[in-house]
Amino acid sequence: GLSFGDAHSIQYTRAAAKHLIERYYHQLTEGCGNESCSNSWCASSVGFNRMDNNAAAVKALELYKVNAKLCDPHPSKKGTASTYLESSAHSNSACGNRKLNHKDVHSVRDNFKDVNYLTEEKVYEILDICGEKEDYSPLIRVIGRVFSSAEGLVQSFRRSKPHTKEELKSLQGKDEDKDEDEKEAAACSATAMEEDSPASSSSSRLGEGSSGENDVQKLAPDEVSVDIEAVRRVYERLLSNEKIEAAFLNALVYLSPNVECDLTYHNVYSRDPNYLNLFVIVMENSNLHSPEYLEIALPQFCKAMSKLPLAAQAKLASLWSHYSAGQIRRMVETFQQLITYKVISNEFNSRNLVNDDDAVVAATKCLKIVYYANVLGGDLDVEHNEDEDEEPIPESSELTLQELLGEERRNKKGPRVDPVETELGIRTNDCRRPLIVFEEFVNEPLNEVLEMDKDYTFFKVETENKFSFMTCPFILNPVTKNLGLYYDNRIRMYSERRITVLYSLVQGQQLNPYLRLKVRRDHIIDDALVRLEMIAMENPADLKKQLYVEFEGEQGVDEGGVSKEFFQLVVEEIFNPDIGMFTYDERTKLFWFNSSSLENEGQYTLIGIVLGLAIYNNCILDVHFPMVVYRKLMGKKGTFRDLADANPVLYQSLKELLEYEGSVEEDMMITFQISQTDLFGNPLMYDLRENGDKIPVTNENRKEFVAQYAEYMLNKSVEKQFKAFRRGFHMVTNESPLKYLFRPEEIELLICGSRNLDFLALEETTEYDGGYNRDSRIIKEFWETLHSFGEEQKRFFLQFTTGTDRAPVGGLGKLKMIIAKNGPDTDRLPTSHTCFNVLLLPEYSSKEKLRERLLKAITYAKGFGML
């Protein structure tokens, strides 16, 4: 939609435009006062159809756009048609010639001329008087005046703080510093002082006087001086009245541009922190997400809010973190609705970028404040951070070359951290359970129109005038973020390649633009380990090149298939329980580091590198770790809660210990010494505290016992193995925005793929070869059969055809499966090339036979029939 400034920006400044729209609005709602007016868009004209204020506000904008006729106010009507804001200066004859010639209403109107800010009591007082007269225009005027003025709103609905006698004495001097009751008295009784002093009538200009500074010291970081409960009660009473409701909408349209200007140019927040009250009050309006706000009021308000300085954003987040999940959700929906509305009503594409839409960008920035409120208000664990790697990961030796070529090293700043996080001193990963689920912050329509290559460029270059949605990763879904990561990887791989070419020119020797691995099938771990260790030591930057695998003695150009096979073989081997690097839990079907493993750390580093390479090369792995592994990779230690999926049996018994009603010491007889079994089944004793066997666990110290037990199981006992593993992972990912973009759950998704399996999407994208097509009889029968399988059989099928039972990020549609004809009817079972996602399917004579052979193949074929 048109913003005020669009069509007329050449002719008018914003203020003038606003003034005109106001005049149209008054003309539509009140008329010009001339009984014989002929302007059909004037309420005074004969046969004019009255409209409600909302309709009038919208119509006023339309009339403004087409430059429609404006009446001059009739002499009798001088004043009223002028704006809300000047109403305090009106002459008393304002209502002289109205049809409602009630003397009493006339006096009611005058009474509230001097109300420049509101309290809950004041609102109800005016409401009662209006109710008696059945004329709400005085209240509408007051709301219009106060809610369209930053000063007025900032002063309104203050919490009353009782003052000491001395304080009161020192405050007597300035009217604006009196406590609530005196303020009330001053505002209501039009004392001589009120009339004479211009300053008092504007209810104190911002930042003057000492009240501002005094308030600041008394407020805690998550406190504001506005009485939020009172504001909620006022809205509840007033929003049910349609006429009054429109006053809030119109006032917001006038208020926002001024606030934006105040924040952008006049630094108001640092002069008076109470300026924040205005945002708190407006956001309590539960109608903000109704359609009439979407066109003008809300986008403008979001723009103003997005200009808040960092400290103010953090303060809002802290305040809102005390709100209920329902209130947080309402705010999220308000901003999401605006974003969705803008996306749907515009044609965004690579020429018309969504990044350039002010309203979408502003709403996203506002959403970020609510996002952090949601994190802060959730279940937080700010402690328990993993130590950083002791030895720094070696820098690339090609540094000198880059300097030589005048390419200063990008990304020296280390991993990116959101400024709001720094200000609040928390990270998303500290939140174990947010107030509302993180998924509610994702905006799907936005994800569909986002041009990720462009967005990534803005993210990298960090220019002032281009906004990147990657700076608000919560709004992006994993597929979009994965694309961002993909561009990051490709650009890195590309720059590694470019440097390689330049290097060979300078040095006169050939370098390899790929990460080449030559391995023997039967010594895959040893060969990969030796080669990757060499690379990691000599030039870790090579790990960021595109992987290119060759199996010795085999022909095969690696177009991704061979490296996928390499990943599968390495994973299969390393997680083989006989090797003893990882232990497997039959019940949870998950692996965990073997604390008594005899393997050297290099093997663990290798699997870390492999996980990193898989992310880098966009390949999903069939690994099964509990979530705590990914939390640990992201820098958070395991705690008691993580045992729930890592070791449910232990979790259950520790939980029972914590909830036990009787005497723990007498009934359970446990000490701070625990026993573990080593590789060969021998028990090992471990003291959780010094001389643990002498310290009984009691009702008083059981919490500590549980915490230490979890600390031992998840961190201490596997420290050596995990550190080596994490080091390998970081060798590949240390410079990528991975940590910044993804939460641990999403990292797991990147590495292992998604558990949501949509076989219809798979059917849509499958290709056929060897004489089959989607209309072949057997292909139709094949899909009918597959769709009829149960959940577990479908997983078996995926494992059989692709080597893993999960879908890649973005779902099965991204798989590119191929079904190829493998001869005529036969008793042979179907076979597969898992590295290329190919199913070789003979043309069986009947659907029954197809079903029986397929089921047999996928159920028994673990390790057979694979080519």
Side-chain angles (χ1 to χ4, degrees):
L2 263 159
S3 71
F4 286 151
D6 281 2
H8 294 257
S9 54
I10 306 114
Q11 296 151 282
Y12 303 111
T13 61
R14 261 207 172 163
K18 229 170 64 179
H19 188 72
L20 279 176
I21 294 170
E22 285 170 37
R23 285 185 57 195
Y24 283 118
Y25 176 77
H26 284 286
Q27 183 173 292
L28 290 164
T29 49
E30 298 178 14
C32 64
N34 177 1
E35 316 261 319
S36 53
C37 179
S38 59
N39 181 352
S40 57
W41 291 119
C42 175
S44 301
S45 66
V46 190
F48 177 79
N49 288 333
R50 287 261 162 208
M51 45 174 80
D52 71 356
N53 296 14
N54 275 342
V58 174
K59 192 74 205 166
L61 185 68
E62 285 172 20
L63 294 177
Y64 162 73
K65 284 179 187 169
V66 299
N67 236 334
K69 177 175 188 248
L70 263 177
C71 309
D72 287 322
H74 202 254
S76 66
K77 189 89 168 109
K78 273 284 189 292
T80 351
S82 177
T83 67
Y84 286 151
L85 305 178
E86 295 150 21
S87 53
S88 50
H90 291 344
S91 60
N92 284 349
S93 63
C95 315
N97 227 355
R98 288 289 291 256
K99 304 272 195 324
L100 291 165
N101 216 335
H102 300 320
K103 277 282 171 280
D104 46 2
V105 172
H106 174 121
S107 59
V108 167
R109 291 245 167 115
D110 288 353
N111 275 350
F112 305 119
K113 277 200 325 209
D114 296 324
V115 176
N116 293 302
Y117 62 88
L118 286 167
T119 59
E120 186 178 11
E121 299 74 26
K122 194 75 194 160
V123 172
Y124 299 155
E125 178 196 325
I126 304 178
L127 192 61
D128 292 345
I129 296 173
C130 292
E132 284 166 30
K133 307 279 184 287
E134 291 188 5
D135 171 14
Y136 287 97
S137 48
L139 180 57
I140 290 172
R141 283 232 164 76
V142 172
I143 286 178
R145 186 162 68 242
V146 173
F147 274 74
S148 60
S149 136
E151 285 100 320
L153 209 45
V154 168
Q155 291 291 333
S156 296
F157 307 110
R158 288 292 180 92
R159 285 190 313 196
S160 44
K161 286 188 288 296
H163 287 301
T164 59
K165 287 260 160 58
E166 294 77 41
E167 270 184 305
L168 273 178
K169 285 229 162 57
S170 71
L171 291 176
Q172 296 281 263
K174 298 195 196 68
D175 150 34
E176 73 218 41
D177 294 345
K178 292 182 191 162
D179 78 336
E180 289 294 347
D181 308 2
E182 297 198 31
K183 272 193 189 167
E184 287 258 328
C188 303
S189 64
T191 55
M193 176 185 149
E194 280 257 295
E195 242 97 85
D196 302 344
S197 132
S200 63
S201 66
S202 72
S203 79
S204 109
R205 270 180 244 97
L206 287 179
E208 285 181 12
S210 56
S211 74
E213 287 84 273
N214 281 355
D215 287 352
V216 181
Q217 284 138 24
K218 292 181 202 135
L219 293 176
D222 49 3
E223 257 191 321
V224 283
S225 57
V226 61
D227 183 343
I228 296 172
E229 290 307 321
V231 173
R232 286 180 183 161
R233 291 190 294 268
V234 166
Y235 273 126
E236 197 150 325
R237 288 209 32 197
L238 299 187
L239 287 176
S240 51
N241 181 322
E242 275 183 22
K243 288 206 178 64
I244 303 178
E245 184 200 11
F248 287 116
L249 171 68
N250 300 322
L252 188 56
V253 175
Y254 298 142
L255 173 73
S256 300
N258 299 333
V259 171
E260 186 183 351
C261 183
D262 277 351
L263 286 167
T264 313
Y265 304 111
H266 302 140
N267 201 1
V268 281
Y269 177 74
S270 54
R271 286 211 310 253
D272 180 11
N274 290 311
Y275 198 77
L276 209 53
N277 293 6
L278 172 158
F279 293 94
V280 178
I281 294 171
V282 172
M283 284 305 294
E284 285 303 321
N285 178 346
S286 54
N287 278 12
L288 276 184
H289 61 294
S290 50
E292 54 272 23
Y293 280 85
L294 282 176
E295 189 60 49
I296 304 167
L298 193 57
Q300 292 224 346
F301 178 67
C302 287
K303 245 185 267 183
M305 188 158 143
S306 67
K307 297 286 195 295
L308 279 170
L310 201 54
Q313 294 184 29
K315 178 140 190 179
L316 268 183
S318 305
L319 169 74
W320 287 339
S321 71
H322 300 293
Y323 282 22
S324 70
Q327 288 156 328
I328 293 279
R329 184 173 285 110
R330 178 182 65 77
M331 294 200 267
V332 170
E333 283 167 1
T334 301
F335 297 130
Q336 289 288 32
Q337 207 169 336
L338 174 58
I339 295 170
T340 303
Y341 169 71
K342 287 292 176 193
V343 167
I344 288 172
S345 52
N346 283 293
E347 288 279 311
F348 292 120
N349 51 39
S350 52
R351 282 177 308 288
N352 175 24
L353 294 177
V354 67
N355 305 61
D356 296 331
D357 185 288
D358 289 348
V360 175
V361 168
T364 306
K365 288 176 176 172
C366 296
L367 194 57
K368 181 187 272 189
I369 302 175
V370 186
Y371 173 78
Y372 281 112
N374 183 45
V375 168
L376 267 179
D379 213 334
L380 280 185
D381 169 15
V382 190
E383 316 284 295
H384 302 111
N385 296 316
E386 288 274 358
D387 314 326
E388 286 306 306
D389 299 308
E390 291 90 52
E391 31 183 323
I393 289 161
E395 276 299 340
S396 158
S397 61
E398 284 166 4
L399 207 57
T400 47
L401 176 76
Q402 279 173 315
E403 289 162 354
L404 182 102
L405 299 162
E407 267 204 31
E408 83 290 17
R409 190 86 164 145
R410 300 181 317 282
N411 264 11
K412 270 302 348 106
K413 292 190 288 266
R416 201 188 273 246
V417 179
D418 194 280
V420 184
E421 285 193 0
T422 315
E423 186 77 22
L424 289 167
I426 51 145
R427 305 198 310 240
T428 297
N429 288 338
D430 295 337
C431 187
R432 301 299 311 236
R433 204 177 60 240
L435 286 172
I436 62 174
V437 294
F438 286 127
E439 284 68 25
E440 297 204 26
F441 286 86
V442 174
N443 186 300
E444 290 299 345
L446 172 72
N447 278 267
E448 282 166 31
V449 298
L450 189 57
E451 301 280 338
M452 209 49 201
D453 50 346
K454 306 268 197 313
D455 195 84
Y456 172 76
T457 314
F458 302 151
F459 178 71
K460 269 321 236 193
V461 180
E462 294 189 72
T463 52
E464 278 301 296
N465 51 357
K466 285 289 186 195
F467 175 79
S468 160
F469 287 94
M470 277 174 75
T471 58
C472 295
F474 54 81
I475 202 168
L476 306 176
N477 61 33
V479 180
T480 311
K481 288 196 275 204
N482 196 25
L483 208 52
L485 200 58
Y486 172 80
Y487 286 119
D488 193 69
N489 297 346
R490 284 290 164 254
I491 282 181
R492 216 173 286 279
M493 288 175 179
Y494 172 72
S495 66
E496 290 298 341
R497 256 181 248 174
R498 206 175 65 201
I499 289 164
T500 309
V501 173
L502 291 167
Y503 196 71
S504 54
L505 291 176
V506 177
Q507 299 286 354
Q509 67 190 64
Q510 232 14 80
L511 275 177
N512 194 342
Y514 293 98
L515 168 55
R516 281 192 108 93
L517 285 185
K518 198 166 189 178
V519 292
R520 294 168 296 177
R521 239 176 221 284
D522 42 358
H523 296 88
I524 187 161
I525 297 289
D526 301 340
D527 290 358
L529 198 61
V530 168
R531 180 91 181 88
L532 287 170
E533 266 186 316
M534 243 170 62
I535 291 169
M537 282 168 56
E538 286 176 7
N539 193 4
D542 279 3
L543 294 173
K544 305 196 168 55
K545 295 176 177 175
Q546 200 169 337
L547 186 61
Y548 193 95
V549 179
E550 281 177 77
F551 286 113
E552 197 150 299
E554 296 179 32
Q555 284 296 306
V557 179
D558 187 356
E559 289 172 358
V562 185
S563 41
K564 182 176 167 188
E565 185 180 8
F566 163 76
F567 282 134
Q568 282 173 3
L569 292 168
V570 169
V571 166
E572 218 164 284
E573 180 115 352
I574 280 190
F575 285 96
N576 180 345
D578 303 341
I579 285 193
M581 282 179 66
F582 293 93
T583 53
Y584 182 64
D585 183 335
E586 277 298 338
R587 287 171 306 240
T588 58
K589 305 251 187 294
L590 296 171
F591 289 93
W592 183 246
F593 299 86
N594 183 352
S595 54
S596 48
S597 162
L598 305 170
E599 290 299 330
N600 65 4
E601 293 172 30
Q603 307 259 17
Y604 288 102
T605 304
L606 173 69
I607 188 69
I609 290 177
V610 166
L611 255 65
L613 287 176
I615 292 183
Y616 244 86
N617 290 276
N618 237 339
C619 185
I620 61 172
L621 301 179
D622 193 23
V623 294
H624 302 271
F625 282 131
M627 188 54 70
V628 63
V629 170
Y630 302 101
R631 286 183 54 79
K632 280 166 74 76
L633 277 179
M634 301 298 270
K636 296 301 285 185
K637 282 187 172 161
T639 59
F640 169 59
R641 321 174 53 138
D642 292 302
L643 285 172
D645 68 328
N647 195 333
V649 180
L650 176 61
Y651 177 76
Q652 209 38 52
S653 53
L654 288 176
K655 194 160 175 279
E656 282 161 19
L657 166 70
L658 287 175
E659 292 163 358
Y660 187 66
E661 307 260 318
S663 159
V664 172
E665 185 172 3
E666 286 167 23
D667 302 352
M668 299 204 176
M669 309 206 20
I670 357 177
T671 66
F672 271 74
Q673 185 179 64
I674 55 174
S675 93
Q676 289 249 244
T677 24
D678 70 4
L679 203 53
F680 309 105
N682 308 321
L684 290 173
M685 304 315 276
Y686 178 78
D687 286 357
L688 294 177
R689 276 164 69 172
E690 215 173 331
N691 302 327
D693 54 336
K694 313 254 186 337
I695 308 174
V697 176
T698 64
N699 294 39
E700 289 71 48
N701 67 17
R702 58 182 168 184
K703 265 200 160 131
E704 188 199 342
F705 172 78
V706 167
Q708 302 230 331
Y709 204 141
E711 159 71 14
Y712 174 73
M713 294 297 293
L714 297 173
N715 306 316
K716 268 215 178 81
S717 61
V718 294
E719 188 168 23
K720 200 174 72 182
Q721 293 84 344
F722 180 76
K723 276 207 163 131
F725 168 74
R726 187 182 62 184
R727 197 160 172 271
F729 184 73
H730 283 170
M731 276 178 185
V732 188
T733 61
N734 68 334
E735 288 181 346
S736 90
L738 187 75
K739 233 181 170 156
Y740 176 81
L741 291 175
F742 296 93
R743 302 193 312 276
E745 302 78 34
E746 298 174 311
I747 296 277
E748 191 217 20
L749 185 71
L750 280 183
I751 295 175
C752 311
S754 158
R755 293 181 185 280
N756 299 344
L757 305 179
D758 176 359
F759 280 86
L760 291 167
L762 182 65
E763 181 177 358
E764 279 302 295
T765 55
T766 295
E767 296 177 0
Y768 303 96
D769 196 14
Y772 286 159
N773 59 43
R774 64 175 46 210
D775 301 322
S776 311
R777 171 194 60 87
I778 183 151
I779 293 301
K780 288 190 167 145
E781 290 176 357
F782 165 79
W783 285 112
E784 285 163 18
T785 306
L786 187 58
H787 292 314
S788 74
F789 280 180
E791 192 60 30
E792 191 179 25
Q793 293 169 326
K794 284 179 173 168
R795 290 195 183 285
F796 280 154
F797 170 78
L798 270 188
Q799 183 84 45
F800 174 74
T801 320
T802 69
T804 164
D805 63 357
R806 297 208 193 175
V809 179
L812 286 178
K814 297 262 188 286
L815 249 187
K816 305 272 185 292
M817 186 171 84
I818 299 172
I819 302 180
K821 182 166 175 175
N822 194 16
D825 182 40
T826 171
D827 286 341
R828 280 180 309 138
L829 296 176
T831 50
S832 65
H833 285 295
T834 54
C835 333
F836 297 102
N837 308 330
V838 176
L839 175 68
L840 300 166
L841 190 66
E843 194 161 3
Y844 296 117
S845 50
S846 72
K847 188 172 171 181
E848 290 65 44
K849 186 170 182 183
L850 165 73
R851 184 186 176 90
E852 182 267 333
R853 298 277 83 186
L854 185 61
L855 270 176
K856 197 166 198 168
I858 64 179
T859 324
Y860 302 125
K862 194 90 182 92
F864 301 101
M866 303 260 195
L867 292 178

